[in-house]
Amino acid sequence: MDPFDAGAGGILRQPKAVWATAGASVVAFMGIGLVDPILPSIAKGLDASAGQVSLLFTSYFLITALAMLVTGFVSSRIGGRKTLLLGLAFVVVFAGLAGTSDTVGQLVGYRAGWGLGNALFVSTALAVIVGAAAGGSAAAILLYESALGLGMACGPLLGALLGDASWRYPFFGTAFLMAIGFLCITVFLKEQPKPARKTSLLDPIRALGHGGLASAAVSAFFYNYTFFTVLAFTPFVLNMTPYKSGAVFFAWGVLLAVFSVLVAPRMQRRFGSLKVLGGSLVLLAADVLVLGYGNHTAAIVCTILSGAFIGVNNTVYTELALGVSDAPRPVASAGYNFVRWFAAAAAPYFAPKIEEWTDVHVAFVVAAVTALLGAVVVVVRRRALTHEAEELEPQHASEDSVTVFAN
């Protein structure tokens, strides 16, 4: 059955609860790239350095990483609906407060609270959509994937459109949209059944005792340093107006979504997961080097092109992480993300520091090296990563990819 079929159970015929959750998911994912086009404007408005402003990503993802130990614990006790509403409430409050910041320290702190809310929301949204959707999990997963891609692509656009008037407006806009999401979920979503087994705080850590999952997490840690060097540091290198920077990262987000959802699965079926991942990491390393050493036009092109490699990597890493683990998917996902999101917190801090200590080229050399280190781990640990990696069913692969990226 075509999931886009408008008939019963198609993606276009879903309960209002599903559309409310999916809509809020779009805004939640928009929050990741929202600040990209306005980073230089924030630095100018608050008289801050690139390194200080990049801490907006560091605080956000540091809290996100730590929250991986908490989200399953919370949702398995209070239920999915209450967890979604709690996460949305955090985002509304802290995104709104971020727009009132008078110092970069305040903004970084509020962004951390925003990260906690986003972690609670997006780690629960897929399970809620699958539980409430009509027509089985295939249509629900496709809807969630579409929300993810739309959010990643449109976040920079919203940041650019609102940020051109004031760097504060994107934060107020996010708070407003998430408040609408809060009201929609309150009205349309009924409470979902709680999991049969409650998740403990240490379950994700115990899951990392599995060699295959630990290998995938370590490799993804190195890769995520490269990923978030591009996302958090490149806007300062491009040094463009919010509109132009927003257009660049919109194109980047479109490639990320297309290659994650459509291209990566086809490449895996033809070449195998490990070959696709290794090759994509090497190409990403080369792309980042050209980004750092090329002229301004080359930097723009390579920034956009990196979205394709990042989209492929996100999907394949997810399948490897959950395909090799015998832990329940939410637990394995939490353990895997607990490790890799620390690199997302580290890159925005260290890339500007490396530029200060040396020059801008070295920051991208380091990012290229970390991508290659990720590929080395894949090669060296290929036996641990091979178990079930090539046998995942396409439907499960799609479900895992959105689960792990969201988490």
Side-chain angles (χ1 to χ4, degrees):
M1 180 183 70
D2 184 356
F4 284 102
D5 186 1
I11 190 174
L12 300 180
R13 293 183 61 86
Q14 296 294 337
K16 293 178 180 178
V18 172
W19 288 115
T21 308
S25 298
V26 172
V27 182
F29 288 117
M30 287 170 63
I32 295 177
L34 177 83
V35 299
D36 260 28
I38 58 173
L39 286 176
S41 299
I42 294 173
K44 183 178 180 180
L46 295 179
D47 193 24
S49 67
Q52 289 175 314
V53 173
S54 292
L55 290 175
L56 292 174
F57 285 97
T58 297
S59 62
Y60 183 92
F61 286 111
L62 180 61
I63 295 300
T64 298
L66 294 174
M68 289 303 103
L69 303 179
V70 177
T71 53
F73 177 88
V74 172
S75 64
S76 66
R77 284 163 174 78
I78 68 173
R81 181 176 181 271
K82 290 185 178 69
T83 304
L84 289 180
L85 292 175
L86 180 63
L88 286 170
F90 270 102
V91 174
V92 170
V93 171
F94 285 102
L97 288 173
T100 68
S101 300
D102 294 320
T103 67
V104 70
Q106 289 178 351
L107 186 55
V108 169
Y110 293 143
R111 180 76 167 167
W114 183 347
L116 175 59
N118 216 50
L120 287 169
F121 176 83
V122 299
S123 64
T124 310
L126 176 61
V128 170
I129 289 176
V130 171
S137 62
I141 291 166
L142 184 57
L143 181 62
Y144 189 81
E145 287 177 333
S146 301
L148 188 157
L150 184 63
M152 290 296 292
C154 292
L157 274 187
L158 178 66
L161 292 173
L162 297 179
D164 189 61
S166 170
W167 65 264
R168 300 178 186 274
Y169 290 170
F171 297 110
F172 293 140
T174 299
F176 176 75
L177 291 174
M178 281 306 226
I180 294 176
F182 184 96
L183 293 175
C184 289
I185 289 176
T186 300
V187 173
F188 296 120
L189 180 64
K190 297 180 180 179
E191 185 56 82
Q192 305 296 298
K194 296 179 183 179
R197 177 182 176 275
K198 293 181 179 179
T199 301
S200 78
L201 293 175
L202 294 179
D203 280 350
I205 301 297
R206 295 190 185 103
L208 290 170
H210 188 284
L213 181 62
S215 299
V218 170
S219 180
F221 174 89
F222 288 120
Y223 153 67
N224 267 262
Y225 184 94
T226 309
F227 177 178
F228 285 93
T229 297
V230 173
L231 190 62
F233 183 61
T234 301
F236 293 104
V237 176
L238 297 180
N239 193 27
M240 303 167 74
T241 65
Y243 276 126
K244 292 180 179 179
S245 183
V248 168
F249 279 96
F250 172 72
W252 169 88
V254 169
L255 279 185
L256 187 154
V258 169
F259 275 75
S260 177
V261 176
L262 301 178
V263 177
R266 289 175 171 80
M267 294 177 65
Q268 288 174 270
R269 286 194 293 269
R270 181 170 182 179
F271 301 108
S273 295
L274 298 184
K275 290 181 180 178
V276 169
L277 181 59
S280 182
L281 286 169
V282 171
L283 290 173
L284 178 61
D287 179 82
V288 169
L289 278 178
V290 176
L291 195 165
Y293 281 91
N295 59 25
H296 193 258
T297 300
I300 293 173
V301 172
C302 289
T303 298
I304 295 172
L305 184 60
S306 70
F309 306 126
I310 289 170
V312 170
N313 293 339
N314 285 344
T315 295
V316 181
Y317 267 120
T318 299
E319 296 180 16
L320 289 178
L322 301 191
V324 299
S325 175
D326 52 4
R329 284 179 177 174
V331 174
S333 170
Y336 166 77
N337 282 286
F338 174 71
V339 173
R340 72 170 185 138
W341 285 129
F342 277 110
Y349 174 79
F350 283 110
K353 290 293 184 183
I354 292 171
E355 181 189 17
E356 292 176 12
W357 298 332
T358 54
D359 60 47
V360 67
H361 306 303
V362 177
F364 287 101
V365 170
V366 172
V369 169
T370 55
L372 292 177
L373 286 174
V376 169
V377 173
V378 170
V379 172
V380 172
R381 297 289 294 168
R382 60 187 179 278
R383 289 190 177 182
L385 292 168
T386 299
H387 178 60
E388 294 184 8
E390 308 299 340
E391 290 84 21
L392 286 177
E393 296 179 7
Q395 178 176 322
H396 289 169
S398 297
E399 180 177 354
D400 293 341
S401 66
V402 293
T403 301
V404 169
F405 190 84
N407 283 350

